[in-house]
PDB file of all heavy atoms in Angstrom:
ATOM      1  N   ALA B 308     -61.397  -0.381   8.159  1.00 88.00           N
ATOM      2  CA  ALA B 308     -61.649  -1.600   8.937  1.00 88.00           C
ATOM      3  C   ALA B 308     -63.154  -1.844   9.114  1.00 88.00           C
ATOM      4  O   ALA B 308     -63.427  -2.920   9.826  1.00 88.00           O
ATOM      5  CB  ALA B 308     -60.978  -1.455  10.287  1.00 88.00           C
ATOM      6  N   GLY B 309     -64.004  -1.096   8.682  1.00 95.00           N
ATOM      7  CA  GLY B 309     -65.380  -1.309   8.925  1.00 95.00           C
ATOM      8  C   GLY B 309     -65.994  -2.422   8.041  1.00 95.00           C
ATOM      9  O   GLY B 309     -67.013  -2.914   8.152  1.00 95.00           O
ATOM     10  N   TYR B 310     -65.158  -2.922   6.942  1.00 96.00           N
ATOM     11  CA  TYR B 310     -65.593  -3.821   6.192  1.00 96.00           C
ATOM     12  C   TYR B 310     -64.711  -5.178   6.145  1.00 96.00           C
ATOM     13  O   TYR B 310     -64.827  -6.057   5.445  1.00 96.00           O
ATOM     14  CB  TYR B 310     -65.478  -3.512   4.630  1.00 96.00           C
ATOM     15  CG  TYR B 310     -64.190  -2.905   4.230  1.00 96.00           C
ATOM     16  CD1 TYR B 310     -63.077  -3.593   3.706  1.00 96.00           C
ATOM     17  CD2 TYR B 310     -63.999  -1.485   4.378  1.00 96.00           C
ATOM     18  CE1 TYR B 310     -61.901  -3.011   3.425  1.00 96.00           C
ATOM     19  CE2 TYR B 310     -62.675  -0.880   4.046  1.00 96.00           C
ATOM     20  CZ  TYR B 310     -61.626  -1.691   3.529  1.00 96.00           C
ATOM     21  OH  TYR B 310     -60.525  -1.123   3.297  1.00 96.00           O
ATOM     22  N   ASP B 311     -63.944  -5.165   7.330  1.00 96.00           N
ATOM     23  CA  ASP B 311     -63.044  -6.442   7.674  1.00 96.00           C
ATOM     24  C   ASP B 311     -63.085  -6.667   9.017  1.00 96.00           C
ATOM     25  O   ASP B 311     -62.540  -5.895   9.884  1.00 96.00           O
ATOM     26  CB  ASP B 311     -61.686  -6.100   7.186  1.00 96.00           C
ATOM     27  CG  ASP B 311     -60.855  -7.377   7.039  1.00 96.00           C
ATOM     28  OD1 ASP B 311     -61.334  -8.499   7.539  1.00 96.00           O
ATOM     29  OD2 ASP B 311     -59.694  -7.347   6.747  1.00 96.00           O
ATOM     30  N   SER B 312     -63.772  -7.797   9.368  1.00 97.00           N
ATOM     31  CA  SER B 312     -63.870  -8.112  10.863  1.00 97.00           C
ATOM     32  C   SER B 312     -62.697  -8.748  11.479  1.00 97.00           C
ATOM     33  O   SER B 312     -62.671  -8.983  12.638  1.00 97.00           O
ATOM     34  CB  SER B 312     -64.990  -9.113  10.953  1.00 97.00           C
ATOM     35  OG  SER B 312     -64.800 -10.329  10.272  1.00 97.00           O
ATOM     36  N   VAL B 313     -61.662  -8.936  10.645  1.00 97.00           N
ATOM     37  CA  VAL B 313     -60.436  -9.589  11.142  1.00 97.00           C
ATOM     38  C   VAL B 313     -59.853  -8.766  12.392  1.00 97.00           C
ATOM     39  O   VAL B 313     -59.815  -7.506  12.201  1.00 97.00           O
ATOM     40  CB  VAL B 313     -59.326  -9.604  10.003  1.00 97.00           C
ATOM     41  CG1 VAL B 313     -58.084  -9.765  10.347  1.00 97.00           C
ATOM     42  CG2 VAL B 313     -59.683 -10.871   9.121  1.00 97.00           C
ATOM     43  N   ASN B 314     -59.448  -9.382  13.318  1.00 97.00           N
ATOM     44  CA  ASN B 314     -58.854  -8.700  14.405  1.00 97.00           C
ATOM     45  C   ASN B 314     -57.671  -9.699  14.955  1.00 97.00           C
ATOM     46  O   ASN B 314     -57.854 -10.337  16.005  1.00 97.00           O
ATOM     47  CB  ASN B 314     -59.663  -8.273  15.483  1.00 97.00           C
ATOM     48  CG  ASN B 314     -58.982  -7.322  16.506  1.00 97.00           C
ATOM     49  OD1 ASN B 314     -57.721  -7.269  16.547  1.00 97.00           O
ATOM     50  ND2 ASN B 314     -59.708  -6.663  17.297  1.00 97.00           N
ATOM     51  N   TYR B 315     -56.491  -9.532  14.300  1.00 97.00           N
ATOM     52  CA  TYR B 315     -55.523 -10.796  14.723  1.00 97.00           C
ATOM     53  C   TYR B 315     -54.894 -10.359  15.983  1.00 97.00           C
ATOM     54  O   TYR B 315     -54.222 -11.241  16.650  1.00 97.00           O
ATOM     55  CB  TYR B 315     -54.328 -10.781  13.644  1.00 97.00           C
ATOM     56  CG  TYR B 315     -54.851 -11.296  12.297  1.00 97.00           C
ATOM     57  CD1 TYR B 315     -54.178 -10.941  11.103  1.00 97.00           C
ATOM     58  CD2 TYR B 315     -55.913 -12.121  12.234  1.00 97.00           C
ATOM     59  CE1 TYR B 315     -54.581 -11.441   9.887  1.00 97.00           C
ATOM     60  CE2 TYR B 315     -56.425 -12.637  10.895  1.00 97.00           C
ATOM     61  CZ  TYR B 315     -55.786 -12.228   9.774  1.00 97.00           C
ATOM     62  OH  TYR B 315     -56.184 -12.711   8.532  1.00 97.00           O
ATOM     63  N   GLY B 316     -55.130  -9.102  16.512  1.00 97.00           N
ATOM     64  CA  GLY B 316     -54.545  -8.776  17.840  1.00 97.00           C
ATOM     65  C   GLY B 316     -54.990  -9.853  18.885  1.00 97.00           C
ATOM     66  O   GLY B 316     -54.391 -10.008  19.873  1.00 97.00           O
ATOM     67  N   LEU B 317     -56.196 -10.342  18.657  1.00 97.00           N
ATOM     68  CA  LEU B 317     -56.723 -11.332  19.672  1.00 97.00           C
ATOM     69  C   LEU B 317     -55.803 -12.341  19.999  1.00 97.00           C
ATOM     70  O   LEU B 317     -55.724 -12.922  21.019  1.00 97.00           O
ATOM     71  CB  LEU B 317     -58.074 -12.013  18.884  1.00 97.00           C
ATOM     72  CG  LEU B 317     -58.677 -13.061  19.837  1.00 97.00           C
ATOM     73  CD1 LEU B 317     -59.609 -12.375  20.929  1.00 97.00           C
ATOM     74  CD2 LEU B 317     -59.449 -13.981  18.944  1.00 97.00           C
ATOM     75  N   TRP B 318     -54.895 -12.742  18.998  1.00 98.00           N
ATOM     76  CA  TRP B 318     -54.084 -13.913  19.098  1.00 98.00           C
ATOM     77  C   TRP B 318     -52.674 -13.668  19.755  1.00 98.00           C
ATOM     78  O   TRP B 318     -51.769 -14.509  20.053  1.00 98.00           O
ATOM     79  CB  TRP B 318     -53.765 -14.557  17.809  1.00 98.00           C
ATOM     80  CG  TRP B 318     -55.120 -15.232  17.220  1.00 98.00           C
ATOM     81  CD1 TRP B 318     -56.084 -15.833  18.000  1.00 98.00           C
ATOM     82  CD2 TRP B 318     -55.442 -15.239  15.791  1.00 98.00           C
ATOM     83  NE1 TRP B 318     -56.983 -16.245  17.111  1.00 98.00           N
ATOM     84  CE2 TRP B 318     -56.745 -15.850  15.786  1.00 98.00           C
ATOM     85  CE3 TRP B 318     -54.916 -14.769  14.709  1.00 98.00           C
ATOM     86  CZ2 TRP B 318     -57.393 -16.197  14.657  1.00 98.00           C
ATOM     87  CZ3 TRP B 318     -55.641 -14.978  13.609  1.00 98.00           C
ATOM     88  CH2 TRP B 318     -56.890 -15.659  13.475  1.00 98.00           C
ATOM     89  N   TYR B 319     -52.275 -12.343  19.701  1.00 98.00           N
ATOM     90  CA  TYR B 319     -50.846 -11.976  20.030  1.00 98.00           C
ATOM     91  C   TYR B 319     -50.579 -10.767  20.708  1.00 98.00           C
ATOM     92  O   TYR B 319     -49.454 -10.620  21.266  1.00 98.00           O
ATOM     93  CB  TYR B 319     -49.984 -12.088  18.804  1.00 98.00           C
ATOM     94  CG  TYR B 319     -50.124 -11.017  17.895  1.00 98.00           C
ATOM     95  CD1 TYR B 319     -49.097  -9.977  17.913  1.00 98.00           C
ATOM     96  CD2 TYR B 319     -51.177 -10.694  17.090  1.00 98.00           C
ATOM     97  CE1 TYR B 319     -49.035  -8.845  17.140  1.00 98.00           C
ATOM     98  CE2 TYR B 319     -51.205  -9.568  16.243  1.00 98.00           C
ATOM     99  CZ  TYR B 319     -50.196  -8.710  16.262  1.00 98.00           C
ATOM    100  OH  TYR B 319     -50.292  -7.546  15.621  1.00 98.00           O
ATOM    101  N   ASP B 320     -51.534  -9.747  20.752  1.00 97.00           N
ATOM    102  CA  ASP B 320     -51.120  -8.408  21.259  1.00 97.00           C
ATOM    103  C   ASP B 320     -52.446  -7.712  21.706  1.00 97.00           C
ATOM    104  O   ASP B 320     -53.167  -7.338  20.858  1.00 97.00           O
ATOM    105  CB  ASP B 320     -50.318  -7.680  20.132  1.00 97.00           C
ATOM    106  CG  ASP B 320     -49.743  -6.445  20.699  1.00 97.00           C
ATOM    107  OD1 ASP B 320     -50.484  -5.634  21.123  1.00 97.00           O
ATOM    108  OD2 ASP B 320     -48.603  -6.246  20.366  1.00 97.00           O
ATOM    109  N   ASP B 321     -52.646  -7.358  22.861  1.00 96.00           N
ATOM    110  CA  ASP B 321     -53.722  -6.660  23.419  1.00 96.00           C
ATOM    111  C   ASP B 321     -53.873  -5.299  22.822  1.00 96.00           C
ATOM    112  O   ASP B 321     -54.997  -4.777  22.580  1.00 96.00           O
ATOM    113  CB  ASP B 321     -53.768  -6.513  24.995  1.00 96.00           C
ATOM    114  CG  ASP B 321     -53.940  -7.900  25.614  1.00 96.00           C
ATOM    115  OD1 ASP B 321     -54.300  -8.894  24.855  1.00 96.00           O
ATOM    116  OD2 ASP B 321     -53.823  -8.008  26.792  1.00 96.00           O
TER     117      ASP B 321
END
Side-chain angles (χ1 to χ4, degrees):
Y310 51 89
D311 189 358
S312 63
V313 158
N314 190 344
Y315 294 155
L317 178 78
W318 296 320
Y319 77 101
D320 189 309
D321 289 353

